[in-house]
Amino acid sequence: MARLSGYQSRGVLNLEEAAALRQAASRLLALQSRAETCRWLNRGGSRTTRGNEWAPEVLVRVLSHPHMAGLDKDGNEIEDFGATVLTPDEYRRLMALFAEQKGQQPEPREAFEYLLSEGAAECGICTHAMTGTRVTGDADPSYRCPPPRVRQPSCGRVRMNADRLEDPVVEEVLAELLRPGAQQHLARLLADIRAEAARLKEHIAGAEARFMELGGMRDVLVPAAYAAAEKATKDDLRQSRIRLRYLEQMTDLPIEGVTNLVEWWKSAPRSSQRALVCVEIVKVRVLPVGRGKHRDPSERIQIDWRQPAA
């Protein structure tokens, strides 16, 4: 069987391919055309597992494989699958997009890189992660709490245009970076994040030993207790991998030697800007529109700032 792009083997990522496919998925979800997304992949040197340049139909076929998100053919998560190129949420949003676009030829448009995606923004009603989306093909980029689904406890009741959410958050972050001692504060935050990432890597590396130890208790525990312990161990491993992926976006923040972070921000790539924001904050909570309508978008935003470990 041919190797699936993005993986060395099941649950083991080819990091370079996986990163390119994640970026491609983000561009498609931002309604960039398939042709333009393939041109971006090919310009960057990305190739299929056969060594060919990407074509729209090939990219859609690869991203539509359920193993991209560790799912089976019925859309259920495969236990012990390992690392995945996409999250189940990203995969399902892509499948919904492909179904919607079937038979259509959407106009090419510039991809929008969301600053507060992947859990950095949460719904102020149900606390579910906000996702970057466009309500219609012609709409401005926005964040919304996704509609509720089976095994997804979201409410779907909060939405905010991306510029109205991101601009006030950026202003607050840059104001923090102008405070005395900001560089030292940021360095401590980065040290904490790198330490947590190192602990998670060690924890993930020890998973096999934990499963072996648990297997040795199969004859000691009653079946229900063993099943519960096994599920808890698998859930812990899955959540650890998700958390590590999130932290790794921040650990390589390229600010060494930078003396003016505000000036650096003006020319920094979007990925670096996002990393800096996520170092400074834990969450941005987006509140629903009140009866009187919020004229100032900052009234709907609550920032949970990250603090150095004691």
Side-chain angles (χ1 to χ4, degrees):
M1 179 182 290
R3 177 176 68 84
L4 181 61
S5 186
Y7 294 94
Q8 296 180 33
S9 59
R10 170 174 154 159
V12 180
L13 295 179
N14 178 308
L15 297 180
E16 184 175 346
E17 291 179 0
L21 287 172
R22 285 170 181 161
Q23 285 286 333
S26 295
R27 287 169 176 264
L28 292 171
L29 287 170
L31 299 188
Q32 186 175 73
S33 72
R34 299 172 186 182
E36 179 56 33
T37 300
C38 287
R39 284 194 288 271
W40 174 82
L41 283 168
N42 295 331
R43 283 197 302 267
S46 178
R47 296 294 183 267
T48 70
T49 55
R50 297 180 181 273
N52 300 320
E53 290 195 338
W54 287 98
E57 62 275 11
V58 176
L59 178 61
V60 170
R61 184 168 65 248
V62 168
L63 291 176
S64 296
H65 197 298
H67 283 186
M68 281 285 122
L71 306 175
D72 61 24
K73 62 181 181 180
D74 297 319
N76 300 310
E77 292 189 32
I78 301 173
E79 293 188 353
D80 296 332
F81 182 87
T84 60
V85 173
L86 302 175
T87 65
D89 177 67
E90 289 169 334
Y91 176 81
R92 292 179 182 119
R93 287 164 53 208
L94 269 179
M95 294 308 97
L97 177 67
F98 292 160
E100 180 183 339
Q101 292 178 339
K102 192 173 183 179
Q104 299 178 9
Q105 294 295 327
E107 290 295 321
R109 66 188 303 167
E110 185 179 357
F112 184 82
E113 296 184 71
Y114 290 91
L115 193 69
L116 301 169
S117 57
E118 296 188 37
E122 71 175 21
C123 174
I125 295 177
C126 67
T127 72
H128 195 278
M130 303 279 282
T131 58
T133 185
R134 297 180 195 257
V135 178
T136 66
D138 296 326
D140 292 329
S142 65
Y143 290 84
R144 73 168 182 174
C145 178
R149 297 175 181 169
V150 178
R151 296 189 296 275
Q152 178 177 288
S154 55
C155 70
R157 295 165 55 192
V158 176
R159 188 185 74 81
M160 193 171 191
N161 281 8
D163 57 345
R164 290 174 66 81
L165 173 56
E166 293 182 355
D167 290 354
V169 171
V170 169
E171 288 179 9
E172 291 283 348
V173 169
L174 294 182
E176 286 295 314
L177 295 175
L178 287 172
R179 293 177 180 273
Q183 288 275 16
Q184 294 82 355
H185 178 77
L186 184 60
R188 291 198 298 271
L189 294 178
L190 276 170
D192 291 343
I193 289 169
R194 288 167 178 154
E196 183 183 355
R199 290 193 298 270
L200 278 172
K201 287 180 180 178
E202 185 176 349
H203 182 68
I204 291 169
E208 184 176 353
R210 291 194 298 277
F211 279 112
M212 289 182 62
E213 182 180 356
L214 181 61
M217 300 177 65
R218 183 186 291 271
D219 296 332
V220 178
L221 299 173
V222 298
Y226 179 82
E230 184 179 46
K231 182 179 184 305
T233 304
K234 291 176 179 177
D235 287 345
D236 171 71
L237 179 58
R238 180 166 57 251
Q239 292 303 318
S240 295
R241 284 172 170 154
I242 292 172
R243 177 66 175 169
L244 179 60
R245 176 178 160 184
Y246 179 71
L247 293 176
E248 284 179 336
Q249 298 177 61
M250 299 176 255
T251 53
D252 295 326
L253 182 60
I255 57 170
E256 188 170 345
V258 174
T259 57
N260 188 326
L261 288 168
V262 176
E263 284 299 315
W264 169 89
W265 176 277
K266 294 177 182 178
S267 59
R270 190 66 161 174
S271 59
S272 296
Q273 291 178 342
R274 184 178 185 281
L276 179 57
V277 168
C278 290
V279 169
E280 287 284 335
I281 68 173
V282 178
K283 294 277 184 184
V284 175
R285 193 168 297 104
V286 185
L287 304 178
V289 176
R291 287 185 178 179
K293 305 276 188 182
H294 296 273
R295 294 184 179 179
D296 183 351
S298 64
E299 295 177 6
R300 294 183 57 199
I301 300 169
Q302 294 178 346
I303 299 177
D304 182 7
W305 296 95
R306 194 182 303 277
Q307 299 298 328

